[in-house]
């Protein structure tokens, strides 16, 4: 046994001194000869010394006696890595396979999967910068944000590293590690970028997404050309390499995404490799000396008759508390029996009657609601179940995934199953995850087919409308009735076309507001790449 706050034990020294002085005072008194007075005198000595014993045990409780249970070794988390991916037109060049943007995307995915020690924030930038995922330790959020972003919805095609640095400077950490996945930039003043990075304590790690020999840029009409109709050849801008070296970072030029991730891991961690932390668990025993101190306090302040009454009543109070626990356990056991007999409604009511609710009763009630078909209520109850035990957490995530599948929220179900599998390998969760992924792909195909049909109907409707409007214009010249009919038919067709156009509008995965923010201030650029 050890003491976590052993300094409190020094208070025992004056207490022992005062207790010894009190005892000497009792011995020095002349004891009367009458037997009754002798007994009362002995009782008075206990009354005088009991408070010292009570204070002594309470001081020991303050020192927090503990026993060691186990020791866990844990690697500390490092700082946040800000991952910035260039979304400009030049990132569509094919000198990196399949193109520069996909190369950077795979490198980020590989880095996030391999590195379990950093937090990650995902930023995209062109002439403006925008954060897609705030600093987080959840790798799935970073992967989801990376998959959801669509560079084809970006209208600002240039690359401004200065705008990126000014955006990162506004973010939280005092010292920031910024990894830039880009083929260079439109900036020409290296010194101003270095000064800006040093002013805001930004260390830059550059990743070459372009090559030195360069490549043509694919375009809808073949290859991208400038205003003089000359082919545009995009090459790696050496500015990014010099910027990384000037700010104390590293420039990485590798041929595969996995090599990029490995080089980044070794480069980022080389400057700071903290020792592993020891996490020690103890069992607290402060309550034992505290209880002994309370007993001495009562013995010194109450008469022997009153103390005996309290000691006699204590088992009765303990029985009342145990009785309340027994009732809850009886309800729980009875509810389990009804659940096993497929009487889900009766078992659910019995679990609900346990107040305050236990973890077991809440979980069992959620299972009963799930069997009754109340999937939303069951999901809310599963989400309210909190436990520090990994096996229980795994069961909660698994059941939340089942509830999400039942109400058609396949993406949420996918996330829940992934969390369950991250805790423990489970064949049921793995099978359900495969089914959910299949359903997500099926829903995407159905939605894409519906969009194509609506678009085709809209285009055919517009061509028919053109013919009808021509015919109705000729009819309108012959008389006023024909003109009124033409106006009403034209108005109805216009409303129908507007409705079809709205229905066929594609929903962006991250929401149109995201692309509005990164396209903010977009103008017709002279060099849109």
């Amino acid at each position: 046994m050890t003491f976590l706050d052993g300094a409190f034990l020094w208070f025992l020294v004056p207490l022992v001194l005062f207790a010894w002085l009190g005892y000497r005072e009792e011995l020095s008194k002349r004891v009367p000869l009458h037997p009754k007075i002798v007994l009362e005198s002995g009782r008075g000595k206990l009354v005088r010394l009991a408070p010292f014993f009570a204070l002594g045990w309470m001081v020991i409780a303050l020192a927090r006696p503990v026993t060691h249970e186990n020791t866990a070794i844990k690697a500390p988390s490092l700082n946040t890595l800000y991952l910035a991916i260039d979304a400009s037109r030049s990132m569509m060049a094919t000198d990196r396979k399949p193109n520069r943007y996909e190369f950077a995307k795979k490198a980020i995915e590989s880095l996030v999967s391999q590195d379990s020690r950093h937090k990650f924030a995902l930023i995209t930038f062109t002439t403006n910068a925008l954060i897609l995922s705030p600093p987080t330790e959840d790798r799935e959020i970073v992967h989801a944000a990376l998959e959801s972003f669509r560079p084809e919805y970006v209208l600002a095609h240039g690359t401004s590293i200065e705008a990126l640095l000014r955006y990162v400077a506004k973010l939280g950490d005092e010292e920031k590690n910024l990894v830039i996945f880009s083929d260079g930039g439109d900036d020409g003043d290296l010194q101003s970028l270095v000064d800006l990075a040093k002013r805001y304590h930004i260390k830059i790690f550059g990743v070459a997404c372009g090559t030195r020999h360069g490549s043509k840029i694919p375009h809808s009409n073949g290859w991208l050309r400038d205003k003089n109709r000359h082919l545009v050849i995009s090459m790696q801008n050496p500015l990014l390499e010099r910027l990384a070296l000037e700010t104390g970072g590293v420039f990485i030029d590798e041929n595969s995404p996995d090599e990029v991730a490995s080089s980044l891991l070794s480069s980022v961690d080389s400057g700071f490799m903290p020792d592993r932390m020891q996490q020690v668990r103890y069992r607290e025993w402060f309550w034992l000396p505290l209880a002994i101190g309370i007993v001495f306090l009562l013995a010194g302040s109450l008469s022997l008759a009153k103390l005996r009454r309290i000691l006699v009543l204590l088992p009765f109070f303990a029985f009342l508390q145990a009785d309340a626990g027994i009732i809850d356990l009886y309800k729980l056991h009875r509810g389990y029996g009804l659940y096993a007999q497929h009487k889900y409604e009766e078992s659910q009511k019995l679990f609900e009657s346990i107040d305050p609710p236990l973890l077991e009763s809440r979980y069992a009630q959620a299972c009963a609601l799930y069997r009754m078909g109340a999937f939303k209520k069951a999901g809310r109850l599963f989400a309210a179940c909190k436990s520090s035990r990994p096996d229980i957490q795994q069961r909660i995530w698994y059941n939340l995934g089942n509830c999400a599948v039942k109400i058609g929220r396949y993406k949420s179900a996918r996330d829940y199953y992934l969390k369950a599998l991250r805790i423990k390998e489970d064949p049921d969760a793995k099978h359900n995850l495969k089914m959910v992924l299949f359903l997500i792909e099926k829903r995407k195909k159905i939605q894409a087919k519906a969009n194509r049909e609506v678009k085709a109907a809209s285009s055919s409707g517009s061509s028919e409308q053109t013919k009808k409007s021509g015919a109705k214009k000729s009819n309108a010249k012959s008389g006023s009735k024909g003109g009124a009919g033409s106006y009403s038919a034209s108005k109805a067709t216009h409303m129908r076309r507007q409705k079809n156009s709205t229905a066929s509008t594609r929903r962006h995965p991250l929401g149109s507001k995201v692309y509005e923010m990164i396209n903010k201030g977009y103008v017709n650029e002279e060099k849109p790449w």
Side-chain angles (χ1 to χ4, degrees):
M1 181 177 288
T2 57
F3 294 93
L4 294 182
D5 298 323
F8 282 102
L9 296 176
W10 287 104
F11 287 103
L12 292 175
V13 176
L15 280 176
V16 171
L17 180 61
F18 287 134
W20 181 71
L21 291 175
Y23 182 69
R24 285 284 303 273
E25 184 181 355
E26 289 296 323
L27 289 179
S28 63
K29 288 184 177 179
R30 190 182 298 272
V31 180
L33 296 177
H34 195 283
K36 184 178 179 181
I37 299 177
V38 170
L39 291 174
E40 289 177 354
S41 177
R43 175 64 184 161
K45 185 167 60 177
L46 176 62
V47 170
R48 287 188 177 89
L49 293 179
F52 294 105
F53 288 106
L55 286 174
W57 284 108
M58 290 179 182
V59 167
I60 293 173
L62 287 173
R64 291 182 63 190
V66 295
T67 54
H68 177 264
E69 283 196 341
N70 57 24
T71 303
I73 305 297
K74 185 180 178 183
S77 296
L78 299 181
N79 296 330
T80 301
L81 278 183
Y82 293 89
L83 309 176
I85 183 169
D86 189 351
S88 63
R89 177 75 64 80
S90 61
M91 290 291 285
M92 296 297 111
T94 56
D95 49 350
R96 301 285 192 191
K97 300 301 179 184
N99 58 47
R100 295 175 182 177
Y101 181 82
E102 290 297 325
F103 176 86
K105 185 176 169 182
K106 290 178 181 177
I108 291 175
E109 289 175 346
S110 179
L111 174 65
V112 171
S113 299
Q114 292 182 42
D115 188 354
S116 60
R117 302 175 65 189
H118 290 92
K119 293 181 180 178
F120 290 100
L122 183 62
I123 301 171
T124 185
F125 72 101
T126 53
T127 50
N128 300 310
L130 178 70
I131 192 162
L132 299 179
S133 170
T136 178
E137 293 182 1
D138 192 338
R139 271 63 183 157
E140 294 302 324
I141 292 177
V142 180
H143 285 300
L146 193 61
E147 285 296 326
S148 299
F149 183 72
R150 296 289 180 267
E152 58 265 26
Y153 299 139
V154 176
L155 304 177
H157 300 302
T159 307
S160 175
I161 294 178
E162 181 182 356
L164 173 64
L165 293 179
R166 293 191 181 279
Y167 185 85
V168 173
K170 300 175 185 177
L171 302 178
D173 299 333
E174 293 182 2
E175 296 185 0
K176 306 174 185 69
N177 291 328
L178 174 63
V179 184
I180 301 178
F181 295 83
S182 176
D183 51 12
D186 301 335
D187 311 87
D189 190 353
L190 173 65
Q191 193 57 46
S192 64
L193 294 179
V194 172
D195 294 341
L196 185 63
K198 289 183 176 180
R199 187 190 316 158
Y200 295 107
H201 309 288
I202 302 173
K203 183 188 285 188
I204 296 173
F205 297 85
V207 176
C209 294
T211 58
R212 298 186 187 278
H213 56 78
S215 171
K216 296 178 288 186
I217 303 173
H219 192 259
S220 57
N221 299 324
W223 301 103
L224 185 66
R225 297 176 181 270
D226 61 14
K227 60 182 179 181
N228 296 322
R229 305 301 299 163
H230 297 148
L231 279 173
V232 173
I233 305 296
S234 173
M235 294 183 290
Q236 177 184 313
N237 190 338
L239 178 138
L240 182 59
E241 180 178 2
R242 297 200 295 269
L243 178 61
L245 298 176
E246 288 285 339
T247 57
V250 177
F251 184 74
I252 296 169
D253 189 356
E254 300 288 353
N255 293 322
S256 74
D258 291 335
E259 291 174 354
V260 169
S262 300
S263 300
L264 274 172
L265 280 173
S266 58
S267 301
V268 171
D269 289 350
S270 61
F272 176 59
M273 289 292 291
D275 297 330
R276 294 177 177 267
M277 296 185 299
Q278 274 194 349
Q279 191 175 33
V280 184
R281 290 187 178 181
Y282 298 101
R283 180 182 291 274
E284 297 271 3
W285 292 98
F286 69 91
W287 57 271
L288 186 58
L290 184 62
I292 296 173
I294 291 173
V295 170
F296 272 104
L297 187 63
L298 293 175
S301 57
L302 299 176
S303 65
L304 191 58
K306 291 180 179 178
L307 188 60
R308 284 175 179 171
R309 289 174 191 169
I310 291 175
L311 292 175
V312 169
L313 290 174
L314 276 178
F316 177 71
F317 291 116
F319 175 75
L320 285 180
Q321 293 177 352
D323 185 57
I326 288 170
I327 291 174
D328 291 341
L329 289 175
Y330 170 76
K331 289 181 179 179
L332 200 61
H333 180 72
R334 177 64 180 155
Y336 287 151
L338 292 171
Y339 184 89
Q341 298 171 17
H342 306 291
K343 298 178 180 179
Y344 303 121
E345 190 172 352
E346 295 179 30
S347 65
Q348 185 267 331
K349 289 179 181 178
L350 202 57
F351 293 136
E352 191 178 14
S353 67
I354 297 176
D355 190 28
L358 307 172
L359 173 63
E360 293 84 353
S361 65
R362 186 173 284 166
Y363 183 87
Q365 185 186 354
C367 291
L369 286 168
Y370 180 87
R371 293 293 184 181
M372 291 164 59
F375 303 116
K376 286 187 178 181
K377 290 183 179 179
R380 284 196 291 268
L381 278 177
F382 280 126
C385 295
K386 305 296 180 184
S387 175
S388 58
R389 287 177 51 184
D391 56 335
I392 296 177
Q393 288 178 350
Q394 191 268 342
R395 286 158 57 191
I396 290 170
W397 290 126
Y398 174 76
N399 283 292
L400 279 170
N402 291 343
C403 293
V405 169
K406 291 294 185 180
I407 59 178
R409 296 179 180 174
Y410 300 138
K411 290 185 178 180
S412 298
R414 175 197 62 192
D415 296 338
Y416 290 138
Y417 289 138
L418 284 171
K419 288 180 179 179
L421 288 169
R422 217 177 285 135
I423 297 173
K424 177 186 174 184
E425 281 291 330
D426 182 14
D428 292 336
K430 195 175 289 186
H431 175 267
N432 290 0
L433 177 61
K434 290 179 182 178
M435 294 299 297
V436 164
L437 293 174
F438 170 75
L439 291 172
I440 290 173
E441 289 300 320
K442 185 178 179 181
R443 178 177 284 182
K444 284 182 180 178
K445 289 179 181 178
I446 293 172
Q447 185 65 36
K449 184 179 179 182
N451 289 340
R452 285 196 301 270
E453 290 176 354
V454 172
K455 190 175 181 181
S458 176
S459 59
S460 63
S462 61
S463 60
E464 290 176 7
Q465 174 62 22
T466 305
K467 293 178 183 178
K468 288 182 180 179
S469 60
K472 287 175 181 177
K473 281 181 182 178
S474 61
N475 291 336
K477 294 178 182 178
S478 61
S480 60
K481 290 184 179 180
S486 172
Y487 171 76
S488 60
S490 175
K491 182 178 179 182
T493 309
H494 175 73
M495 292 175 66
R496 188 165 57 251
R497 186 193 307 171
Q498 188 176 14
K499 183 178 179 181
N500 290 339
S501 175
T502 305
S504 64
T505 302
R506 184 176 179 180
R507 295 178 182 269
H508 298 164
L510 285 177
S512 59
K513 188 66 178 176
V514 171
Y515 300 98
E516 288 176 15
M517 292 175 70
I518 197 170
N519 291 325
K520 184 180 179 182
Y522 167 73
V523 293
N524 247 344
E525 297 163 310
E526 293 183 4
K527 296 182 178 181
W529 54 82

